[in-house]
Structures are given as structure tokens and as C-alpha cells.
């Protein structure tokens, strides 16, 4: 052990308040990062359940009538499935309808998918918000009207109620079997409303998703065969730009919080270190008289300060992770879905991002602590060391 480390191990920094402030700062930072990541994951997952990451649809896409359809197996589909990041392409059918239960009615959007054929003939899965609004339970009949050139009525059966994500009035999505919706529209088994292309999680950031959408759209245009339908590619960001603008705003707020909390923690440590330096003037003078350089003496006090910062960081991280565990399992903090799109505060522990935030904040704080260490060069051993 060198001299600086030996001396630092015997200095006591009585800076409990500074450590508490650092712990609070890191607590706020980690919770902010986790909530921001949670919102992004939940909203992306919720929107992807509506329309996939990339949607291939006809130019005249129409949710009301049965006039616009495309082939479920175009000739260029294998090329799309070979695009980097693409994990699959699912044929779906969309159809707007009006649900009636007793005296209550509400507009919904039906989505026919192959995976829901297991619900049985005319079986549907409805969002919890629709079930609450129309007092529907599993096993209840659900009379639905589809309006186009003529009105069609179907009596569905509620087979499942799923938790609503993006739970607002204009996003009430009812899942039905693909074959049921094909029969409703009078289509054969090869006709669907659109193909929903799914991307791997690593390809869902904005730039990568836009690049994937452009490549998928180019393939659909350039490799279109004579018997293929004309399709256009749109990404989930094109369909719900307001959601992603809102997420970007949250990320900006989180960045501001990270900067502010780092600065607050840094200046709290500066004040604490200055107090320690003032209390240790005679020790500084003694070390100088024994031949230690200003740089070596600074390293002594920086080591002591670093230990305090690390302790506060560990406490703040531990409390933040405990909060994330409790909130993630119980959802005890609720939100108004009309304003926040989901009904609870989502959390996601993004370990690499948290470690990066910890590291950057620690380095900034230690850099700020170089300022009070300049005080050491002003200490004169002849004035501070007195022989009795």
C-alpha cells in the first residue's frame, strides 16, 4: 500500500449528510432511468400488438368495408423474411365494428389473427377496458354490427379478457380468429388485410426500424410479381408518431434529471470536502513538511471522498432496485391511462444504461472534486504546524 492509500485509510470523513444527498441523487437517477425504459418497453410492446413493427398493406386500406385485401403469401415474402432483424410476418385482417351489450354500444376494431383461431368459432378476446365499459364477462355473448354497403351482424362469445395496454378509448382492439374474419368479409383463405412484420428487439430503435421499413418497402415494390398486389410499408412510428414523440420527451426529461442530480451530488461533495480540508489544515501542513507533494496530498482526500461517493451510490442503487422490484411486481403506483396511455408506472431495469449512468456520474463528481483540492496548494506549513 502506498503512503496516500495508508493515510486515506485512517482519515475519517464525517460527511453523513453529503452521503445521504448522494444516495438520494442516485436513487432519483436510477428510478428515472428505469421508468423511462419501462414506458418505452410497455408502449412499444402495446403498439406492436396492434399493428406489428412494420405493416404491409394495400394502398386503399379500409377498416370499414371488405373491398381492400392482399395476398397472404406474395412472391417476395421470402426476401422480406431474410431482411436483417425481421423475425416473422403474420397475416391479419382488420375490420371496424360496433359492439352492443344491453343499452350500451361502443366502436371497436377487430383484428383477425391465426393464433386466435383456437378461441373457437366466433370466439373473441377483448380488452379489460371494454369489458368494464359494457359489463362483459368470459362466456357472455357479444353482439356486433359491421357496417359497409349493408349491415352484417355477428354474435361473438367472449372467451378471454386480456389486460389493456395503451388503454384508451380509441385503441379498443378485439382479437378474433382469422378464419372468422375471412368468412365475415367473404374472402377465401388466401386474402387478408395486411402482413405485419415483426422485428427483433435490437432492431426497434428509431433509426434501425426506419432502415428496416425502407428495405421491406423496397422489396415489396421492386420484387412485385405480375400476380402480386401493390403494397406499401409503414412502421409503427409512422402510425403512432405522437406516442414516440412523447417517449422522446420523457427521455429528454430523464437526461435533464441525470444532469441535475449529478451536479447536486457533486456540489454536495464539494462542500463536504471543503469542510474536511478546513478541519485537516494542520494535517496538510504536517504532510507537506514531511515532503509530500500537493498532488499526493490531494489524492489522499480524493480517496476518502471516493469511498463516500461509492457508499452513497451503492445505497441509492440498492433502494432504487428495491423500488423497481416492488413496483414491477405489484404496480402499486397507478396512472390515468387517458394521459399516460397505460394504467400503472412501468419499470424496467436496463442494467447497461444504469451502469453507464453510475460510471458517468461518478467520474463527473470526482472531476468536480478537483476544484476544492486546489485549496491544498494554498496551505503554508510554517503557518499551520506549530511546535509546542
Amino acid at each position: 500500500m502506498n503512503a496516500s492509500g495508508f493515510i486515506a485509510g485512517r482519515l475519517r470523513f464525517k460527511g453523513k449528510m453529503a452521503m445521504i444527498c448522494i444516495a438520494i441523487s442516485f436513487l432519483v437517477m436510477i428510478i428515472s432511468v428505469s421508468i423511462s425504459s419501462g414506458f418505452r418497453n410497455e408502449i412499444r410492446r402495446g403498439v406492436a400488438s396492434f399493428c406489428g413493427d412494420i405493416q404491409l398493406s394495400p394502398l386503399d386500406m379500409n377498416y370499414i368495408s371488405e373491398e381492400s385485401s392482399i395476398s397472404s403469401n406474395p412472391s417476395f415474402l421470402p426476401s422480406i423474411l431474410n431482411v436483417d432483424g425481421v423475425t416473422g410476418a403474420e397475416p391479419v385482417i382488420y375490420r371496424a365494428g360496433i359492439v352492443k351489450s344491453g343499452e350500451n354500444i361502443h366502436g371497436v376494431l377487430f383484428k383477425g389473427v391465426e393464433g386466435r383461431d383456437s378461441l373457437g368459432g366466433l370466439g373473441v378476446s377483448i380488452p379489460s377496458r371494454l369489458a368494464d365499459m359494457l359489463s362483459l364477462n368470459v362466456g357472455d355473448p357479444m353482439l356486433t354490427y359491421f357496417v359497409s354497403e349493408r349491415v352484417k351482424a355477428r354474435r361473438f362469445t367472449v372467451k378471454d379478457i386480456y389486460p389493456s395496454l395503451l388503454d384508451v378509448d380509441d385503441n379498443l382492439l378485439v382479437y378474433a380468429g382469422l378464419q372468422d374474419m375471412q368468412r365475415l368479409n367473404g374472402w377465401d383463405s388466401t386474402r387478408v388485410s395486411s402482413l405485419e412484420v415483426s422485428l427483433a428487439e435490437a432492431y426497434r430503435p428509431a433509426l434501425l426500424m426506419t432502415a428496416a421499413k425502407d428495405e421491406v418497402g423496397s422489396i415489396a415494390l421492386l420484387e412485385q410479381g405480375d400476380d402480386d398486389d401493390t403494397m406499401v410499408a409503414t412502421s409503427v412510428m409512422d402510425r403512432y408518431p405522437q406516442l414516440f414523440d412523447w417517449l422522446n420527451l420523457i427521455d429528454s426529461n430523464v437526461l435533464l434529471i441525470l444532469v441535475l442530480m449529478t451536479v447536486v451530488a457533486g456540489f454536495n461533495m464539494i462542500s463536504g470536502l471543503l469542510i474536511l480540508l478546513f478541519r485537516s489544515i494542520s494535517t496538510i501542513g504536517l504532510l507537506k513538511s514531511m515532503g509530500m507533494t500537493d498532488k499526493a496530498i490531494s489524492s489522499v482526500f480524493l480517496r476518502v471522498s471516493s469511498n463516500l461517493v461509492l457508499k452513497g451510490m451503492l445505497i441509492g442503487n440498492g433502494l432504487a432496485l428495491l423500488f423497481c422490484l416492488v413496483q414491477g411486481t405489484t404496480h402499486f403506483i397507478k396512472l390515468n391511462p387517458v394521459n399516460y396511455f397505460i394504467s400503472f408506472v412501468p419499470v424496467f431495469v436496463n442494467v447497461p444504461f444504469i451502469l453507464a449512468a453510475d460510471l458517468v456520474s461518478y467520474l463527473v463528481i470526482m472531476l468536480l472534486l478537483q476544484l476544492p483540492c486546489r485549496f491544498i496548494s494554498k496551505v503554508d506549513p510554517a503557518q499551520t504546524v506549530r511546535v509546542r
Side-chain angles (χ1 to χ4, degrees):
M1 181 183 294
N2 58 29
S4 297
F6 179 80
I7 297 171
R10 279 151 182 78
L11 279 178
R12 292 293 177 264
F13 193 165
K14 296 180 180 180
K16 290 185 178 180
M17 185 55 66
M19 186 174 67
I20 292 173
C21 291
I22 290 173
I24 293 174
S25 296
F26 278 94
L27 170 67
V28 173
M29 284 192 291
I30 303 308
I31 288 178
S32 300
V33 169
S34 299
I35 290 176
S36 172
S37 300
F39 268 114
R40 186 169 293 280
N41 283 356
E42 290 292 334
I43 288 179
R44 277 180 175 171
R45 182 159 60 90
V47 173
S49 70
F50 289 152
C51 58
D53 296 304
I54 300 171
Q55 190 176 78
L56 282 170
S57 55
L59 295 173
D60 58 345
M61 181 70 166
N62 190 339
Y63 291 152
I64 298 177
S65 72
E66 59 272 10
E67 295 177 357
S68 58
S69 68
I70 59 173
S71 170
S72 61
N73 189 28
S75 62
F76 51 80
L77 184 58
S79 299
I80 289 177
L81 295 177
N82 287 328
V83 172
D84 289 342
V86 172
T87 59
E90 181 180 36
V92 298
I93 295 177
Y94 287 105
R95 187 69 189 271
I98 300 173
V99 175
K100 185 177 186 298
S101 178
E103 298 299 322
N104 299 318
I105 62 171
H106 205 286
V108 298
L109 182 63
F110 277 76
K111 180 177 182 178
V113 293
E114 290 180 331
R116 302 289 173 163
D117 286 326
S118 60
L119 294 171
L122 297 181
V124 293
S125 177
I126 66 173
S128 57
R129 183 172 175 80
L130 181 64
D132 293 338
M133 291 188 327
L134 300 183
S135 300
L136 291 172
N137 298 300
V138 173
D140 289 349
M142 190 179 78
L143 183 61
T144 308
Y145 297 96
F146 299 91
V147 181
S148 56
E149 293 183 359
R150 61 189 182 91
V151 177
K152 296 181 180 180
R154 293 292 186 275
R155 192 178 185 87
F156 294 96
T157 301
V158 178
K159 295 295 183 68
D160 177 58
I161 298 176
Y162 67 91
S164 301
L165 291 173
L166 304 187
D167 199 1
V168 291
D169 287 345
D170 57 350
N171 283 323
L172 293 175
L173 193 68
V174 175
Y175 290 98
L178 184 69
Q179 295 178 5
D180 287 339
M181 301 310 294
Q182 285 171 331
R183 284 192 292 268
L184 172 70
N185 288 342
W187 297 345
D188 61 36
S189 60
T190 65
R191 308 305 293 179
V192 294
S193 294
S194 65
L195 293 172
E196 292 183 351
V197 179
S198 301
L199 298 178
E201 186 65 33
Y203 286 81
R204 284 179 173 170
L207 292 178
L208 295 178
M209 182 179 289
T210 300
K213 180 205 71 173
D214 292 341
E215 187 171 356
V216 168
S218 297
I219 291 174
L221 177 65
L222 299 177
E223 298 187 17
Q224 177 183 346
D226 294 337
D227 296 330
D228 290 329
D229 302 289
T230 301
M231 303 182 195
V232 60
T234 56
S235 72
V236 66
M237 294 186 299
D238 299 326
R239 296 173 62 82
Y240 297 97
Q242 72 281 5
L243 290 179
F244 289 89
D245 289 342
W246 184 70
L247 287 175
N248 291 334
L249 179 61
I250 289 179
D251 290 342
S252 299
N253 292 337
V254 169
L255 179 60
L256 179 61
I257 290 173
L258 292 177
V259 173
L260 287 177
M261 290 297 101
T262 300
V263 172
V264 168
F267 278 98
N268 273 287
M269 277 304 303
I270 287 175
S271 63
L273 182 55
L274 282 173
I275 293 173
L276 177 63
L277 291 172
F278 288 144
R279 288 178 176 175
S280 306
I281 288 179
S282 59
T283 303
I284 295 172
L286 178 61
L287 294 175
K288 280 192 171 186
S289 67
M290 294 175 65
M292 285 191 72
T293 63
D294 291 344
K295 182 177 180 181
I297 298 172
S298 296
S299 69
V300 170
F301 290 94
L302 287 175
R303 284 172 183 262
V304 177
S305 302
S306 176
N307 290 335
L308 192 70
V309 173
L310 290 174
K311 287 180 182 178
M313 182 189 300
L314 289 175
I315 293 172
N317 277 237
L319 292 175
L321 294 176
L322 178 61
F323 167 83
C324 292
L325 176 63
V326 174
Q327 175 63 20
T329 54
T330 65
H331 299 162
F332 70 95
I333 300 180
K334 304 296 183 182
L335 294 175
N336 184 348
V338 174
N339 297 324
Y340 295 97
F341 303 106
I342 54 179
S343 59
F344 60 90
V345 174
V347 290
F348 175 74
V349 179
N350 189 335
V351 176
F353 199 99
I354 289 175
L355 293 177
D358 283 343
L359 178 61
V360 171
S361 298
Y362 173 78
L363 294 177
V364 171
I365 291 172
M366 296 308 297
L367 184 63
L368 290 174
L369 290 180
Q370 300 292 329
L371 298 176
C373 286
R374 294 177 178 272
F375 167 79
I376 294 173
S377 64
K378 307 297 183 183
V379 176
D380 185 358
Q383 298 292 328
T384 57
V385 180
R386 303 222 193 288
V387 178
R388 295 184 179 177

